[in-house]
Amino acid sequence: MTKLTPSGPREILTPYRPIPLDVPQGMKPNEFFNSAENLADLVHNNGLLLNPEGLLLYRKALGHSNEFDASIIYNTSQRILDPLGRPVRRTQLPDVVRQVWNRMNGIIFSFMLELYPDPERHLLLAGEASLDATWPLTSPGVPSIRMLHNHFIAFDQAALRAAPLADPDNPNLTDGGQHSLFQAHMREVYRNFFAGLEFAILEPCADADCRLALTGYPQGLPSWKVRGGAAALKEVRFWREYDVLLKGFIDFYRCFFSQVSTRNAPLPGDISFPALVEDRLQFNNDFLKAAKMVRDRCITDARYANAIRWQPAFKQLLYRNDAGELIVTISQNSIGNAITELLGVVVKRVPDAEAYGQAEPALIEKLLAVRRRLVEADLGEGIATAHWASA
């Protein structure tokens, strides 16, 4: 970034081709998008690869970036018809499915690092965003597919530098920053809790090293460098530590909101680190004081109480920083915000079939190339659509 380029979140325009789906009369779009019928359409029109474990790689029709944009989804739509009963995070996966999920994630992100080796030219990220079961399907901003899915995205840095600054008061940008509940009232408690987790590959990252110079994000989040870089993605230990971060976050979230809900609530059931929770949370006056503050407001402010996410909701991100190092971070999730906004990138999607059509051939070529790697690694078989063959 040159000295003349101001630092701040960016808002970029991403053209897309309108999806020719007819939403049944009387249904809201996000209600229909969670139906088995819509997920079948996703497979047939945008599906790239499917494996026996039920993991589907697909092209993001309403994407964040037309440089590189794909997702893996745990497609349980035909087996679990209740959208609120579907797995929405890795900790809910069977072990064999999680192992395949991790291998797919490692291969795709490694492919992106090979395809885009220069951090000055491309921003790379892979992120999982989870919803909890308390979000009504009809709430504005609830993502269109209510199942566990991961995003793989590349942004052109030149386009980001040329993009206008985003509104810093955009509520979607505050989720992982100084305005969030955890950061505003429990910053030290939060960081001290994560410091109690044990890692060999992940090491704490100073804020200045984690933050992207162009956007100034992420803001205020504990983050970790990946020792060994891309090579670590081939080690099962990395993915176990990646899961430890998620389990720790869920323990913190559940413990806090159980205290918000019920004064002096007992230790939540089925937590991963009970001794750490008891030592650094349940006996911490600052933690309990923050819970009381939120509880008292919930009692008198119906709108505030309705906005509380009582069950774990998160965004976990693996990205490349300005120095080319791999960084992992995690944040609470709120309605409406996208995985990219954790890094200060606000995507404004615009319907423009012609502009999308110009970018589509190069995008599809890259997606089919990474599909070949997954097939070679016995991680699934190609899907044929009207746009590409099965091999």
Side-chain angles (χ1 to χ4, degrees):
M1 185 178 68
T2 67
K3 292 182 179 180
L4 297 177
T5 305
S7 179
R10 294 310 203 267
E11 181 174 297
I12 62 170
L13 299 180
T14 300
Y16 68 90
R17 179 186 295 118
I19 301 175
L21 282 180
D22 293 324
V23 177
Q25 186 175 1
M27 289 189 77
K28 296 185 178 181
N30 50 352
E31 291 176 309
F32 175 67
F33 290 157
N34 279 282
S35 69
E37 179 185 350
N38 176 60
L39 268 293
D41 179 85
L42 185 151
V43 174
H44 298 313
N45 286 333
N46 294 286
L48 291 158
L49 174 141
L50 183 63
N51 57 41
E53 289 76 24
L55 295 168
L56 167 71
L57 175 71
Y58 64 99
R59 182 259 307 263
K60 293 296 292 291
L62 296 179
H64 299 89
S65 168
N66 290 330
E67 176 64 42
F68 188 99
D69 198 330
S71 279
I72 298 173
I73 191 169
Y74 185 39
N75 188 1
T76 56
S77 64
Q78 303 296 314
R79 294 185 286 109
I80 304 174
L81 298 184
D82 175 9
L84 300 183
R86 297 169 183 160
V88 293
R89 59 178 183 263
R90 297 191 312 281
T91 54
Q92 297 171 330
L93 290 177
D95 289 343
V96 65
V97 177
R98 187 164 59 249
Q99 181 189 42
V100 172
W101 166 271
N102 289 339
R103 289 179 59 212
M104 293 177 73
N105 289 338
I107 287 175
I108 295 174
F109 201 78
S110 295
F111 174 85
M112 294 170 66
L113 290 169
E114 292 177 24
L115 191 63
Y116 305 108
D118 187 351
E120 292 188 3
R121 296 186 59 190
H122 293 94
L123 171 61
L124 306 183
L125 62 107
E128 176 186 334
S130 167
L131 291 170
D132 66 87
T134 65
W135 270 333
L137 292 176
T138 54
S139 292
V142 170
S144 59
I145 299 175
R146 192 63 170 258
M147 291 189 290
L148 170 70
H149 57 293
N150 212 359
H151 309 252
F152 301 89
I153 307 167
F155 288 108
D156 180 86
Q157 292 278 30
L160 289 176
R161 286 190 289 268
L165 291 170
D167 179 1
D169 292 327
N170 183 327
N172 294 333
L173 286 169
T174 65
D175 177 60
Q178 68 274 20
H179 303 297
S180 72
L181 175 66
F182 291 178
Q183 294 298 321
H185 301 287
M186 295 179 291
R187 178 183 173 88
E188 296 307 318
V189 178
Y190 190 54
R191 287 174 175 261
N192 185 50
F193 176 78
F194 276 107
L197 302 174
E198 297 182 0
F199 300 114
I201 292 179
L202 297 179
E203 60 176 327
C205 176
D207 287 351
D209 294 335
C210 303
R211 193 178 299 124
L212 302 175
L214 180 64
T215 66
Y217 281 70
Q219 293 186 352
L221 296 176
S223 301
W224 294 261
K225 290 183 183 179
V226 180
R227 289 192 179 104
L233 303 183
K234 299 178 181 180
E235 297 184 33
V236 67
R237 178 61 186 259
F238 166 77
W239 296 103
R240 287 175 179 165
E241 294 187 11
Y242 196 67
D243 281 347
V244 165
L245 278 181
L246 174 55
K247 292 175 181 177
F249 175 86
I250 291 173
D251 279 3
F252 188 100
Y253 199 111
R254 292 182 62 201
C255 184
F256 180 74
F257 284 103
S258 68
Q259 294 296 333
V260 171
S261 174
T262 306
R263 181 178 179 274
N264 290 331
L267 203 68
D270 301 324
I271 62 174
S272 299
F273 307 104
L276 188 64
V277 168
E278 184 176 25
D279 180 47
R280 303 198 182 188
L281 299 182
Q282 285 202 313
F283 208 71
N284 186 292
N285 290 329
D286 291 334
F287 181 79
L288 297 174
K289 181 170 64 176
K292 180 182 184 302
M293 177 194 69
V294 176
R295 186 189 321 120
D296 289 347
R297 185 173 174 184
C298 284
I299 291 172
T300 60
D301 188 340
R303 185 181 296 273
Y304 180 80
N306 186 59
I308 293 290
R309 300 301 105 212
W310 297 99
Q311 299 298 321
F314 70 95
K315 291 196 292 288
Q316 188 170 5
L317 199 62
L318 170 67
Y319 67 98
R320 184 173 64 185
N321 69 2
D322 294 335
E325 300 165 312
L326 300 188
I327 309 293
V328 174
T329 192
I330 191 166
S331 170
Q332 63 270 28
N333 196 12
S334 62
I335 283 182
N337 57 355
I339 194 77
T340 63
E341 288 156 358
L342 212 58
L343 297 181
V345 179
V346 178
V347 177
K348 184 177 181 179
R349 299 176 178 91
V350 291
D352 189 334
E354 182 178 353
Y356 179 80
Q358 293 175 0
E360 184 177 33
L363 171 63
I364 297 304
E365 182 180 357
K366 297 164 193 169
L367 298 182
L368 294 180
V370 76
R371 180 177 76 172
R372 286 192 290 272
R373 295 239 181 137
L374 294 168
V375 171
E376 290 169 359
D378 196 21
L379 287 170
E381 298 297 330
I383 297 173
T385 71
H387 312 290
W388 50 78
S390 61

